[in-house]
Amino acid sequence: MSKNLRFKSSKQVDETYRISFKFNNKTYYGYKGDTLASALLANDIHLVGRSFKYHRPRGIMTAGSEEPNAIIQLHDNTSRTEPNVRATEIEIYEGLVASSQNCWPSVNFDIGGINNILSPILPAGFYYKTFMWPKSFWEKYEYFIRKSAGLGKSPKEADPDIYEHKYIHCDVLIIGAGISGIMAAKISAKNGLKTLLVDEKSFLGGSTIYDNSEFSKINNQITSSWLEKEINEISKLENLEIKTRTSVAAFHGYNFLLARENLTDHLPIDQRENKIRHRLLKIRAKKVISATGAIERPLIFDNNDRPGILLSSAIKKYIDLYGVACGENNILFTNNDTAYETALSMVQRGIKVNAIIDNREDIDSKLSYEAEKNNIRIFKGYTVVDTYGYKRINGLSIMELSKDGQKVIGKKIRLSCDSLGVSGGWTPAVHLFTQSGGKLKFREDDQVFIPNKYPSDQLSIGSCNGDFSLEEITTNTVSSVKKFLNVNNTDYKTFEIITGINKSKRNIWLLPSDKILGKTKSFVDFQNDATAKDIKLALREGFRSIEHVKRYTTTGMGTDQGKLGNMHALGIISETAGTKMGEHGTTTFRPPYTPLTFGTIVGRNVGEFFDIIRRTPIHDWHVENNAKFENVGQWKRAWYYPKANENMHQAVQRESKAARDCAGILDASTLGKIDIQGTDASEFLNRVYTNAWSKLAIGKCRYGLMLNEDGMVYDDGVTTRLDENHYIMTTTTGGAANVLGKLEDYLQTEWPELDVYLSSVTDHYATISVCGPHSKKIISKVIPDLDFSDEKFPHMSFKNTKIGQVKCRVMRISFTGEQSYEINIQSNYGKSVWEKCMEEGKDFNITPYGTETMHLLRAEKGFIIVGQDTDATMTPIDLQMDWIVSKKKYDFIGKRSLYRSDTIKDDRKQLVGLLTENPEEVLEEGAQIVADIKKSPIEMLGHVTSSYYSPNLNKSIALGVVKGGKKMIGQKLIIPMENKNINVTVADPVFLDKEGERLNAKL
Amino acid sequence: MFLINCPFCGEREQSEFKAGGEAHIKRPKQPTELSDDEWAEFLFMRKNIKGVQFERWNHAHGCRKWFNIVRDTSNDQIKAVYKMGEKPPVK
């Protein structure tokens, strides 16, 4: 039967509201207001997990977000299960289920504990050093190392909860609602500023709200009562918004901050239905005040990690806020006065304090006298040298410190205890400040880093600014906030402060021991099991930079980001290296301050909201007709239309054959369309395309190739001259937005003198392409009034016409090599015109085809697809498209690059056709092309870019890029595959109808 | 994420804009007259300064206009924003 260590109700905990929860499959009880940690401690449970590397038993160590040990797996439901949750931050609710991590089979008996015994052979860098040879064995070791590593388990199903994002704009954001944050909020809001106050806890007031000691008073009131009144007052202020359970995760430049508002994690599971779980707040604040407080430092001595060893301030919080004692026989170990507050809190509640071990020889404060008065033994100038007890501390031994603090002297004294509170002084929580780009300075007096240079309009106040005493906090907060906000009036006049704390402190980063360092386990980073020994080893091995030592020893790299131990690591480094603190800088604090769930980060942008989906006006017809779709950028394009039992290959073969033998119809609405107007439109096209445009007659179409300034092919498409100063350009589907952007760039920045206007009309028109030997017959039935004779309407020309009453443009252009007409009509008529084409084409076996057939048909003709056959390293010359590059034009984008020394080389990769020895063998796209497989290493000549089985040629065809390929026509090459080598012959890339006769359907 | 004061639309969030590299690199009027080295200088060479840098930006998800900014790359402070063709208002 476990003991009950709950001794007294408190303001935070509602004893009339009992809550049951499960931890490691056992049911326990706590009260509303408890955290999982306080509820476990009330049940006398300290052991909650195993450490990462040595699998040492670990207990709850803190009472806040800095917790390194008590990280648990929350929920056993597989979709909601969450790893690495800090027990100190979870508010318990009915039905909570949690379990320990990093232990098997259980936290009480963990097989990995063998690592603790093996620890002498597991120093820093052990894995790096040991498993690196023979080199090829790493893969085999890795499996086992990974299996035994790792903290929690990630969920295997989609997150069922709802998350959202919200923007907030305010005049002043105050982070942290401790005493200084509350005071700042009052000053700000009362001066008419729109103020937002956030705190990660469920309550306001920080640690001051449970500062109930007679030794701590403001204006003759107990400090906590004084603050309570302040909180009551500010909660009525109109222009102050207060958000609790809201943790600031990131502080970016320009006072842009991200915070996570936790809305349901504290509710019973059945009350969470359909509620938003977390809200990611995107805050833009004109001014930011950080009042993030300070984190107590542990002390670094041998075996300082046993369950039952907590920060002294955490013990005080469990007593004063939650009414929970951490043990029945307590010892405190300190180098400053704050541990005496904890001791007196215990005395006040009748909890036994066995002794206080104090590093300092001279102690002179009201608190220490009060402790002595209460018969607490104080060992002055002593240090703890060892602790005992495996799963829970049961005792410790102490020795006297030498004058210089470097050695221990005298006799060892052994004391018994079931809980040890440690206090190594305080570290300002400057994480958010440094994230924002702030620079720190080191204060020698009490060995702390404090804010020095602010990168934006912000201020740090209270203990995160190094103001630790009540006098400093109250006085400095008022004066600095007034100045920062540029206001004169506050309700605060003078403060009469009573405090028992004396500031003296004896800072020793690594406490001496009677053992040699190699025999000690003095943990600096509790979560990652990095010890003082590891850090010294890293320095001996030559590491100097703090960033390198961090990575080698993994100090500060856990989920707690070294909130407790980083300062000691820095201290030990500078002591060992004989440098000054601050000289090495600090490691970089990166967002998030506390981990965020992926759900919070993505918010509503999941599933269908993840990205925009663009559908053509004819989309519904494709769906109705069983099309399979392909994603092209954001577009959904019909890929192929399988009939009954057809697979993709069969469908594509059928569609391809029909398009050449009868008629095919393609939805080409996704092609980018840019409307170009202006008196300089022709000149503009001359400059952006490689070929000449000035002489293109009105009503004619021309294919154009666009390069980057480096001479590489960027995009292609057909442009039509609609009128003297009016063109319509088509681009590739994927390149549309970028082409428009690029053209605008040149127009606005290089050639602002040109009179040209561009607008995207991609979505305005549906484009229906009908091709094949019967295309003319079909299209003339759809548009009976138009003269489709080759004389009146030749290839590469266009007509303005009407279908019924609706104006449309018909272009006779071809991407298949067949006679082909393209109808461009206002989008909303797209589907009905498509249906009309299908109706009129019925007798001619008109066959809808998708992108796959389109690709096959164009490959038969050797037409390139930009982005498939090119990859930003291909010039038009490499593509054997010299014919499209104007020799006469003085300049166009990319021209000069076409004769740079590199682009004129003969052995560049060039586009060629490839024919397999076995005509049935279809190559894999991306396969490597080589000439000699005996050479080692085999020289790679190029790769296959497009490959299909052509039903019209009854053989396999492919396009590829090959070094010096142009001159290799007829030559044999090899495609080495996993199981075989495929023989191919280099061929002309045009496989079908080289003369272009099919364009006029003269078969 | 910084704020950029678009000379046409006013202050907007960085996510609406697209960076366009170093500013004031003029495309040569007569590229064909240039040697390979001179052309390479225009084509490839960029400064990428730690400190005050002149940059091109495009209000891609707004007015689509290009303009220049003067930004300290070490702290993202924007010293000036000015239209294309204008002289930088600061050194």
Side-chain angles (χ1 to χ4, degrees):
Chain A
M1 187 61 206
S2 62
K3 287 177 260 187
N4 182 10
L5 288 154
R6 177 97 51 183
F7 54 86
K8 187 179 175 295
S9 62
S10 71
K11 274 178 287 188
Q12 170 68 17
V13 171
D14 179 0
E15 271 193 65
T16 61
Y17 194 136
R18 202 169 82 141
I19 288 171
S20 73
F21 65 97
K22 267 189 175 171
F23 181 68
N24 286 337
N25 294 321
K26 259 186 164 167
T27 302
Y28 299 96
Y29 296 95
Y31 297 112
K32 191 175 177 200
D34 262 327
T35 62
L36 178 57
S38 68
L40 286 171
L41 290 170
N43 286 284
D44 200 29
I45 294 171
H46 279 257
L47 172 64
V48 288
R50 291 277 176 160
S51 71
F52 190 61
K53 187 166 153 191
Y54 302 129
H55 292 253
R56 283 169 70 101
R58 287 285 164 80
I60 295 158
M61 201 178 167
T62 74
S65 57
E66 68 272 27
E67 177 61 39
N69 291 341
I71 51 175
I72 51 104
Q73 184 89 26
L74 192 64
H75 302 299
D76 54 3
N77 170 344
T78 50
S79 61
R80 281 207 170 84
T81 192
E82 196 178 334
N84 306 339
V85 178
R86 289 164 300 282
T88 50
E89 287 197 305
I90 290 294
E91 299 170 50
I92 60 165
Y93 49 84
E94 194 58 48
L96 181 147
V97 178
S99 54
S100 297
Q101 297 181 163
N102 202 32
C103 53
W104 186 85
S106 79
V107 69
N108 274 303
F109 178 73
D110 174 25
I111 282 185
I114 190 90
N115 280 4
N116 187 33
I117 299 159
L118 296 177
S119 66
I121 62 160
L122 288 171
F126 170 73
Y127 291 101
Y128 298 126
K129 288 168 186 161
T130 313
F131 296 106
M132 278 306 139
W133 38 263
K135 228 177 170 177
S136 59
F137 263 58
W138 168 246
E139 282 174 31
K140 292 178 180 68
Y141 294 133
E142 195 190 9
Y143 174 78
F144 291 100
I145 293 169
R146 295 240 181 267
K147 211 176 139 140
S148 64
L151 291 166
K153 287 186 200 77
S154 56
K156 293 200 164 57
E157 290 165 28
D159 189 336
D161 288 319
I162 310 167
Y163 303 84
E164 74 172 18
H165 291 179
K166 186 185 176 185
Y167 283 90
I168 295 183
H169 297 261
C170 58
D171 293 324
V172 183
L173 167 69
I174 298 161
I175 312 165
I179 179 167
S180 50
I182 298 281
M183 290 173 67
K186 184 169 154 185
I187 297 171
S188 171
K190 281 209 160 183
N191 278 286
L193 296 163
K194 193 184 164 201
T195 308
L196 173 64
L197 173 67
V198 300
D199 195 284
E200 61 179 2
K201 295 280 186 304
S202 61
F203 56 89
L204 301 176
S207 61
T208 314
I209 204 66
Y210 53 87
D211 190 357
N212 310 323
S213 158
E214 283 291 328
F215 294 92
S216 169
K217 283 184 178 169
I218 299 178
N219 296 344
N220 228 2
Q221 299 167 60
I222 300 277
T223 304
S224 59
S225 320
W226 180 87
L227 187 60
E228 238 168 79
K229 282 183 202 139
E230 292 291 302
I231 291 171
N232 281 338
E233 198 183 334
I234 65 161
S235 51
K236 292 174 198 124
L237 294 175
E238 258 181 27
N239 43 351
L240 173 65
E241 187 178 3
I242 300 172
K243 283 186 181 291
T244 52
R245 299 190 177 97
T246 300
S247 159
V248 173
F251 190 164
H252 296 295
Y254 283 65
N255 284 350
F256 179 65
L257 298 96
L258 297 175
R260 183 213 39 208
E261 187 180 13
N262 196 339
L263 299 163
T264 62
D265 281 356
H266 60 290
L267 298 177
I269 298 278
D270 58 5
Q271 287 176 30
R272 299 184 188 182
E273 200 76 10
N274 297 322
K275 286 185 184 142
I276 292 158
R277 183 183 172 206
H278 294 165
R279 193 180 274 145
L280 186 71
L281 307 176
K282 300 178 174 182
I283 307 167
R284 285 269 180 202
K286 288 191 185 129
K287 286 168 183 278
V288 176
I289 298 176
S290 296
T292 46
I295 295 171
E296 194 170 27
R297 292 177 189 170
L299 289 163
I300 313 300
F301 53 93
D302 192 14
N303 289 317
N304 59 345
D305 67 325
R306 299 197 189 281
I309 301 180
L310 290 92
L311 294 180
S312 142
S313 60
I315 294 177
K316 181 174 189 300
K317 185 171 178 179
Y318 287 121
I319 294 167
D320 289 342
L321 194 64
Y322 301 100
V324 173
C326 294
E328 292 170 317
N329 181 20
N330 299 277
I331 293 181
L332 291 156
F333 179 26
T334 187
N335 67 7
N336 69 96
D337 263 8
T338 48
Y340 291 84
E341 289 184 320
T342 306
L344 293 175
S345 275
M346 286 197 259
V347 168
Q348 208 183 333
R349 306 294 196 292
I351 303 163
K352 184 183 166 194
V353 182
N354 189 356
I356 297 175
I357 324 294
D358 198 321
N359 282 349
R360 300 171 296 175
E361 282 167 13
D362 304 311
I363 308 160
D364 175 27
S365 69
K366 270 191 268 174
L367 293 177
S368 65
Y369 299 137
E370 186 66 17
E372 276 171 339
K373 222 191 284 174
N374 281 287
N375 300 321
I376 299 173
R377 286 184 292 174
I378 301 175
F379 292 88
K380 297 178 185 174
Y382 273 77
T383 181
V384 175
V385 290
D386 202 354
T387 66
Y388 312 103
Y390 186 56
K391 288 177 200 165
R392 173 78 179 265
I393 188 169
N394 61 24
L396 48 82
S397 46
I398 60 172
M399 287 176 83
E400 205 178 335
L401 279 164
S402 65
K403 284 271 176 253
D404 61 1
Q406 300 292 304
K407 286 195 301 283
V408 283
I409 48 177
K411 269 210 315 285
K412 221 188 254 189
I413 304 169
R414 187 163 172 156
L415 301 167
S416 73
C417 67
D418 63 354
S419 161
L420 172 66
V422 292
S423 176
W426 295 82
T427 299
V430 293
H431 308 71
L432 293 172
F433 166 79
T434 56
Q435 271 185 29
S436 76
K439 296 280 177 275
L440 300 167
K441 67 176 173 212
F442 190 68
R443 189 166 72 191
E444 287 286 344
D445 300 354
D446 53 352
Q447 306 275 301
V448 292
F449 283 104
I450 53 172
N452 186 24
K453 256 179 84 183
Y454 294 107
S456 62
D457 206 356
Q458 56 166 298
L459 178 73
S460 292
I461 55 169
S463 55
C464 74
N465 192 41
D467 290 343
F468 295 122
S469 75
L470 210 47
E471 295 103 312
E472 287 169 337
I473 290 170
T474 47
T475 314
N476 294 353
T477 294
V478 174
S479 63
S480 61
V481 169
K482 269 169 76 174
K483 198 172 153 214
F484 176 63
L485 298 179
N486 199 18
V487 296
N488 291 318
N489 299 327
T490 75
D491 294 352
Y492 301 116
K493 301 289 177 269
T494 51
F495 296 98
E496 265 179 63
I497 303 293
I498 296 174
T499 171
I501 298 252
N502 178 321
K503 273 172 137 185
S504 93
K505 180 177 163 187
R506 185 183 189 188
N507 199 74
I508 304 171
W509 294 115
L510 172 59
L511 291 158
S513 168
D514 56 329
K515 290 186 220 157
I516 58 160
L517 184 71
K519 296 266 184 217
T520 64
K521 274 207 194 75
S522 310
F523 289 90
V524 175
D525 183 309
F526 294 84
Q527 194 174 95
N528 274 349
D529 274 350
T531 62
K533 184 174 69 183
D534 294 328
I535 293 170
K536 292 211 172 194
L537 175 72
L539 288 163
R540 262 209 316 281
E541 292 183 354
F543 291 91
R544 282 294 173 273
S545 153
I546 173 68
E547 296 287 352
H548 292 160
V549 173
K550 169 179 164 176
R551 278 155 187 81
Y552 191 59
T553 61
T554 69
T555 303
M557 288 175 70
T559 58
D560 60 331
Q561 291 276 293
K563 290 188 180 79
L564 291 186
N566 264 0
M567 281 301 295
H568 303 83
L570 286 168
I572 292 167
I573 290 168
S574 73
E575 266 175 15
T576 311
T579 52
K580 273 177 122 180
M581 277 294 271
E583 214 169 273
H584 294 273
T586 59
T587 55
T588 315
F589 296 114
R590 292 194 180 83
Y593 176 66
T594 50
L596 294 174
T597 59
F598 283 120
T600 312
I601 295 166
V602 298
R604 300 267 184 179
N605 305 320
V606 291
E608 61 179 313
F609 301 118
F610 180 68
D611 197 8
I612 292 161
I613 294 172
R614 297 175 82 181
R615 298 179 181 86
T616 77
I618 309 162
H619 185 85
D620 289 350
W621 189 92
H622 305 318
V623 173
E624 286 155 23
N625 287 274
N626 198 28
K628 298 281 176 235
F629 288 90
E630 172 179 41
N631 294 328
V632 182
Q634 292 169 328
W635 286 102
K636 291 274 171 208
R637 292 200 73 178
W639 193 11
Y640 59 99
Y641 302 80
K643 280 191 172 168
N645 297 319
E646 277 181 344
N647 62 22
M648 176 170 168
H649 176 73
Q650 289 162 337
V652 170
Q653 295 289 305
R654 172 180 53 73
E655 290 170 15
S656 303
K657 196 128 179 57
R660 294 227 187 272
D661 294 348
C662 319
I665 180 167
L666 172 82
D667 180 0
S669 307
T670 63
L671 287 184
K673 304 174 205 70
I674 299 170
D675 189 271
I676 302 172
Q677 299 191 43
T679 51
D680 294 317
S682 303
E683 171 60 17
F684 180 64
L685 290 174
N686 263 336
R687 296 186 191 185
V688 300
Y689 277 132
T690 60
N691 46 351
W693 290 79
S694 332
K695 284 181 190 146
L696 183 69
I698 294 168
K700 294 286 182 190
C701 314
R702 183 165 285 174
Y703 174 76
L705 206 54
M706 200 181 286
L707 308 185
N708 265 330
E709 207 66 271
D710 60 8
M712 304 304 157
V713 172
Y714 182 70
D715 204 80
D716 68 346
V718 171
T719 296
T720 304
R721 190 166 197 173
L722 302 173
D723 206 339
E724 179 63 27
N725 297 321
H726 190 187
Y727 291 82
I728 183 143
M729 171 190 279
T730 59
T731 73
T732 58
T733 298
N738 290 336
V739 170
L740 181 66
K742 182 183 155 96
L743 299 183
E744 276 290 349
D745 186 355
Y746 275 90
L747 262 186
Q748 289 178 32
T749 66
E750 296 295 349
W751 310 318
E753 70 281 5
L754 292 186
D755 175 41
V756 177
Y757 302 90
L758 308 172
S759 35
S760 165
V761 292
T762 304
D763 295 299
H764 304 49
Y765 293 96
T767 305
I768 300 161
S769 171
V770 180
C771 77
H774 296 303
S775 59
K776 191 190 281 184
K777 288 174 217 156
I778 297 166
I779 208 93
S780 10
K781 285 190 169 183
V782 176
I783 315 171
D785 298 340
L786 196 61
D787 183 350
F788 280 95
S789 67
D790 288 349
E791 296 70 40
K792 290 280 183 208
F793 198 171
H795 182 55
M796 295 308 268
S797 63
F798 114 97
K799 298 284 177 219
N800 270 320
T801 181
K802 277 183 179 177
I803 298 178
Q805 295 302 306
V806 186
K807 279 195 231 165
C808 69
R809 293 174 184 151
V810 181
M811 277 86 165
R812 186 170 166 189
I813 52 178
S814 175
F815 190 42
T816 59
E818 295 301 314
Q819 186 174 55
S820 172
Y821 297 88
E822 217 177 84
I823 304 170
N824 284 273
I825 193 158
Q826 201 177 306
S827 284
N828 47 340
Y829 293 102
K831 192 170 171 236
S832 62
V833 172
W834 174 280
E835 281 163 349
K836 176 98 175 138
C837 292
M838 288 302 296
E839 177 62 29
E840 301 296 355
K842 219 192 268 170
D843 297 341
F844 305 99
N845 185 29
I846 190 167
T847 302
Y849 66 92
T851 49
E852 192 63 21
T853 293
M854 174 184 83
H855 289 171
L856 191 162
L857 296 172
R858 65 86 208 179
E860 290 176 338
K861 287 289 296 173
F863 294 153
I864 59 155
I865 290 183
V866 174
Q868 177 164 345
D869 302 298
T870 73
D871 62 357
T873 66
M874 303 293 287
T875 69
I877 320 300
D878 298 336
L879 294 168
Q880 305 215 41
M881 292 173 81
D882 314 45
W883 54 271
I884 203 170
V885 180
S886 165
K887 304 277 183 303
K888 288 185 202 146
K889 279 200 294 183
Y890 182 69
D891 191 15
F892 55 82
I893 297 172
K895 177 174 169 113
R896 175 62 187 83
S897 292
L898 294 180
Y899 55 93
R900 285 180 56 240
S901 58
D902 192 54
T903 43
I904 53 170
K905 279 188 196 158
D906 285 342
D907 63 345
R908 289 179 61 81
K909 284 183 188 163
Q910 291 151 351
L911 186 80
V912 292
L914 297 167
L915 291 171
T916 48
E917 198 174 67
N918 170 5
E920 300 298 314
E921 181 98 65
V922 180
L923 298 173
E924 262 182 50
E925 286 174 1
Q928 306 288 290
I929 304 171
V930 306
D932 185 356
I933 47 167
K934 292 196 186 84
K935 213 160 117 189
S936 177
I938 305 177
E939 191 194 356
M940 187 264 214
L941 295 179
H943 66 278
V944 179
T945 59
S946 297
S947 173
Y948 308 90
Y949 185 82
S950 161
N952 300 300
L953 297 160
N954 291 316
K955 65 179 178 190
S956 151
I957 56 165
L959 298 172
V961 292
V962 177
K963 272 185 193 163
K966 274 192 221 178
K967 288 185 182 157
M968 292 167 81
I969 306 290
Q971 212 167 306
K972 299 239 186 286
L973 292 174
I974 299 164
I975 315 276
M977 298 302 290
E978 204 172 8
N979 316 316
K980 59 184 171 188
N981 296 317
I982 303 169
N983 295 322
V984 295
T985 308
V986 179
D988 188 283
V990 186
F991 300 102
L992 181 100
D993 186 29
K994 206 164 177 179
E995 299 69 33
E997 286 178 354
R998 302 180 73 101
L999 289 170
N1000 294 314
K1002 285 175 190 150
L1003 292 175
Chain B
M1 212 184 326
F2 43 94
L3 297 170
I4 299 174
N5 192 9
C6 169
F8 306 95
C9 306
E11 197 169 64
R12 296 287 192 280
E13 217 169 61
Q14 185 192 348
S15 59
E16 290 186 16
F17 299 86
K18 197 172 141 186
E22 196 178 325
H24 303 294
I25 294 177
K26 211 164 163 44
R27 187 175 189 274
K29 279 265 180 278
Q30 298 169 318
T32 45
E33 319 274 298
L34 302 181
S35 69
D36 268 12
D37 285 350
E38 286 165 332
W39 180 247
E41 184 66 32
F42 157 74
L43 198 55
F44 301 121
M45 298 306 169
R46 298 293 182 269
K47 291 200 195 87
N48 195 21
I49 298 160
K50 180 179 179 184
V52 175
Q53 180 163 287
F54 298 84
E55 297 173 336
R56 285 154 30 92
W57 283 77
N58 178 227
H59 197 182
H61 299 285
C63 63
R64 304 189 62 89
K65 284 283 189 188
W66 283 90
F67 56 90
N68 294 321
I69 71 173
V70 187
R71 180 174 69 107
D72 187 333
T73 58
S74 66
N75 59 16
D76 284 337
Q77 293 306 310
I78 296 173
K79 311 244 180 247
V81 179
Y82 54 106
K83 292 179 185 172
M84 280 294 161
E86 289 178 357
K87 285 223 157 55
V90 288
K91 276 255 166 170

